Amino acid sequence: MFPSAPGPIGIFDSGYGGLTILHGIRQLLPQYDYLYLGDNARAPYGSRSFEVVYQFTRQAVLKLFERGCHLIILGCNTASAKALRSIQQRVLPEVAPERRVLGIIRPTAEVIGQLTTSRHVGILATEGTIGSQSYNMEIQKLHPDITVTGVACPLWAAIVEANEADSPGADYFVGKYIDRLLRRDKAIDAIVLGCTHYPLLMNSILRHVPPGIRIIPQGQYVAESLSDYLHRHPSMEQRITQNGTCHYLTTESPEKFKESAQIFLHEQVNVQHVDLD
């Protein structure tokens, strides 16, 4: 059903935020080929139901399989929270048992124990990710002594995609939700940016976070986890092409994608339109 020849690593996100994950991966593992798919026409996913996120993510995964990917990273926290388990349990056994789909929440949960001293951790994410309790469950499964407090930041991703990350309005809303998080638990000493858009708000985030609190974007840890995964699964590594290329697919206008992608990547991209539904 799907091409059997080696192919690129697939990276999927509902929009542009996954480009921060892709950037982190390419910095550590530049030798591989990558195919990024953004479902920009239907973004954001943050407030959508579990079933809708699952259906949209399933369509994207199958499209990347069709394009030759044997390994896919869901570079989207909402998709990782709401769809990953169903994709792994329902889709892969039925249509692609030799292929793999990985998320970005567990790699962060695995390292969080090394990044907090107080054992109190904050999560800033979309409504969907916070509502799913995925970070709480993954962190407490691995580190039962850590207290996790999450706050939804419903406007942050939209601010980034509107290229308003450095505006006074963005600074106001960043301060508002950070204050809300720290009021809920004054012992927090590490904050996970649980949405891939949020690193682009880093300047404002650092202005509002007191000294001594560590800010944790995900790109580095997802990249290190992927490198470890490929080292432990040489048969999968052999099914990934290594020409150092990166191509992009979008469900929206390629021209709009090119323009917006520069906010995240600061480089020109080669992008093609695709339909998922």
Side-chain angles (χ1 to χ4, degrees), residues 133-196:
Q133 296 285 300
S134 294
Y135 272 100
N136 303 57
M137 290 186 289
E138 287 291 341
I139 290 173
Q140 292 180 337
K141 190 189 309 177
L142 298 167
H143 312 284
D145 63 317
I146 292 180
T147 298
V148 182
T149 303
V151 164
C153 308
L155 298 171
W156 286 19
I159 287 169
V160 170
E161 295 211 356
N163 200 14
E164 295 288 334
D166 294 317
S167 69
D171 197 65
Y172 168 79
F173 285 111
V174 167
K176 176 181 178 179
Y177 291 113
I178 288 175
D179 288 347
R180 183 175 296 176
L181 176 66
L182 297 180
R183 281 199 307 270
R184 292 187 181 176
D185 185 353
K186 292 180 171 57
I188 286 171
D189 72 347
I191 298 175
V192 175
L193 302 184
C195 172
T196 52

Side-chain angles (χ1 to χ4, degrees), residues 103-260:
I104 59 174
I105 292 175
R106 187 172 180 87
T108 311
E110 287 174 343
V111 300
I112 197 70
Q114 306 164 28
L115 305 175
T116 173
T117 302
S118 71
R119 315 310 279 174
H120 288 253
V121 170
I123 311 292
L124 296 170
T126 65
E127 294 168 283
T129 298
I130 295 298
S132 74
Q133 296 285 300
S134 294
Y135 272 100
N136 303 57
M137 290 186 289
E138 287 291 341
I139 290 173
Q140 292 180 337
K141 190 189 309 177
L142 298 167
H143 312 284
D145 63 317
I146 292 180
T147 298
V148 182
T149 303
V151 164
C153 308
L155 298 171
W156 286 19
I159 287 169
V160 170
E161 295 211 356
N163 200 14
E164 295 288 334
D166 294 317
S167 69
D171 197 65
Y172 168 79
F173 285 111
V174 167
K176 176 181 178 179
Y177 291 113
I178 288 175
D179 288 347
R180 183 175 296 176
L181 176 66
L182 297 180
R183 281 199 307 270
R184 292 187 181 176
D185 185 353
K186 292 180 171 57
I188 286 171
D189 72 347
I191 298 175
V192 175
L193 302 184
C195 172
T196 52
H197 286 71
Y198 295 178
L200 276 80
L201 293 164
M202 188 65 80
N203 289 339
S204 187
I205 290 168
L206 292 174
R207 277 196 295 273
H208 290 280
V209 171
I213 296 180
R214 183 192 291 260
I215 305 300
I216 305 167
Q218 297 170 283
Q220 171 190 345
Y221 303 108
V222 172
E224 291 171 357
S225 178
L226 175 59
S227 177
D228 178 65
Y229 178 87
L230 293 174
H231 180 73
R232 290 184 290 107
H233 297 84
S235 62
M236 176 59 75
E237 203 262 353
Q238 291 166 11
R239 285 182 271 166
I240 299 168
T241 49
Q242 298 191 37
N243 301 297
T245 66
C246 189
H247 295 91
Y248 301 84
L249 305 173
T250 179
T251 56
E252 200 174 49
S253 154
E255 289 307 314
K256 184 174 188 312
F257 186 94
K258 286 180 184 179
E259 179 182 332
S260 297

Side-chain angles (χ1 to χ4, degrees), residues 53-73:
V53 172
Y54 164 69
Q55 292 297 343
F56 287 0
T57 304
R58 180 181 183 277
Q59 291 170 352
V61 164
L62 294 178
K63 180 64 68 175
L64 288 169
F65 285 164
E66 289 172 9
R67 294 296 183 110
C69 299
H70 293 264
L71 175 65
I72 296 171
I73 310 297

Side-chain angles (χ1 to χ4, degrees), residues 63-90:
K63 180 64 68 175
L64 288 169
F65 285 164
E66 289 172 9
R67 294 296 183 110
C69 299
H70 293 264
L71 175 65
I72 296 171
I73 310 297
L74 299 186
C76 171
N77 282 278
T78 302
S80 294
K82 292 187 172 183
L84 176 62
R85 190 177 299 264
S86 295
I87 295 290
Q88 291 174 334
Q89 294 179 348
R90 292 158 60 179

